[in-house]
């Protein structure tokens, strides 16, 4: 299903032109218009799902297998030194376009990008509390 008001639906289905580097029945992979680095790509399903919570399992599997393929392609073609796979869900997590997508970001020694987080201190007790909250019903 396509959302008429969604720009990534239009791009994924070819209604708006993009710099496509891969396409199949389910996905289009495009170059990001505001790239973190050279070759920053976005994996877009052709159907509309807001985020990973909505994405059906079969497409989730396909999307991450495709992310691996695109990673290998970019490594081979652009000779990057590293690569980040990033997938944001929700405004709080940095999502700005609410159509599921995976960022494939090649990294270079001198790219001056900072993709990461500030590690917090945590005790064994606190870790156990969280483990219980998640793991035990
Ligand atoms: P996110 O913050 O995870 O939702 O990522 C959205 C990404 O989409 C950003 O990296 C934007 O630069 C990129 N973006 C937004 N509009 C376009 C567009 N029309 N074509 C290509 N990339 C886009
Ligand atoms: Zn969409």
């Amino acid at each position: 299903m396509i959302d008429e008001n969604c720009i990534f639906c239009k791009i994924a289905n070819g209604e708006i032109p993009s710099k496509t580097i891969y396409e199949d029945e389910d996905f289009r992979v495009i170059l990001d218009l505001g790239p973190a680095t050279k070759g920053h790509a976005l994996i877009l399903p052709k159907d509309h799902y807001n985020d990973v919570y909505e994405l059906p399992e079969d497409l989730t599997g396909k999307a991450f297998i495709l992310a691996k393929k695109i990673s290998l392609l970019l490594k081979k073609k652009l000779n990057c030194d590293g690569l980040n796979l990033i997938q944001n869900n929700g405004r709080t997590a940095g999502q700005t376009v609410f159509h599921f997508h995976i960022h494939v970001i090649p990294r270079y020694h001198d790219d001056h990008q900072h993709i990461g987080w500030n590690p917090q201190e945590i005790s064994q007790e606190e870790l156990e509390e969280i483990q219980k909250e998640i793991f035990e019903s």
Side-chain angles (χ1 to χ4, degrees):
M1 279 273 271
I2 287 163
D3 179 338
E4 295 291 320
N5 299 313
C6 172
I7 186 165
F8 278 7
C9 277
K10 292 196 170 89
I11 292 173
N13 292 281
E15 278 179 51
I16 293 179
S18 62
K19 297 290 180 280
T20 298
I21 59 167
Y22 173 91
E23 187 182 3
D24 65 23
E25 199 186 323
D26 299 311
F27 298 96
R28 182 186 295 269
V29 183
I30 65 166
L31 293 178
D32 196 296
L33 265 187
T37 63
K38 178 184 173 186
H40 182 165
L42 299 172
I43 296 177
L44 311 178
K46 290 186 174 178
D47 282 338
H48 182 88
Y49 302 100
N50 280 324
D51 47 36
V52 74
Y53 314 119
E54 286 191 357
L55 195 68
E57 279 194 4
D58 62 330
L59 271 188
T60 307
K62 286 179 183 176
F64 281 94
I65 289 170
L66 181 55
K68 180 201 162 62
K69 284 189 183 147
I70 298 299
S71 299
L72 285 171
L73 176 73
L74 295 180
K75 182 172 170 357
K76 186 173 155 198
K77 299 283 188 162
L78 301 180
N79 199 29
C80 51
D81 304 305
L83 184 140
N84 294 112
L85 291 177
I86 296 176
Q87 201 279 303
N88 300 324
N89 299 283
R91 220 174 287 280
T92 307
Q95 187 175 10
T96 58
V97 181
F98 293 86
H99 173 121
F100 174 92
H101 53 278
I102 302 174
H103 295 260
V104 186
I105 307 179
R107 300 301 304 276
Y108 307 92
H109 288 315
D110 58 353
D111 67 25
H112 303 295
Q113 288 289 354
H114 301 282
I115 298 170
W117 57 89
N118 301 318
Q120 311 290 300
E121 295 212 345
I122 193 162
S123 66
Q124 285 303 313
E125 291 72 26
E126 285 170 306
L127 283 173
E128 272 163 31
E129 276 304 310
I130 298 164
Q131 181 189 28
K132 266 192 212 153
E133 197 175 334
I134 298 167
F135 191 60
E136 291 173 14
S137 54

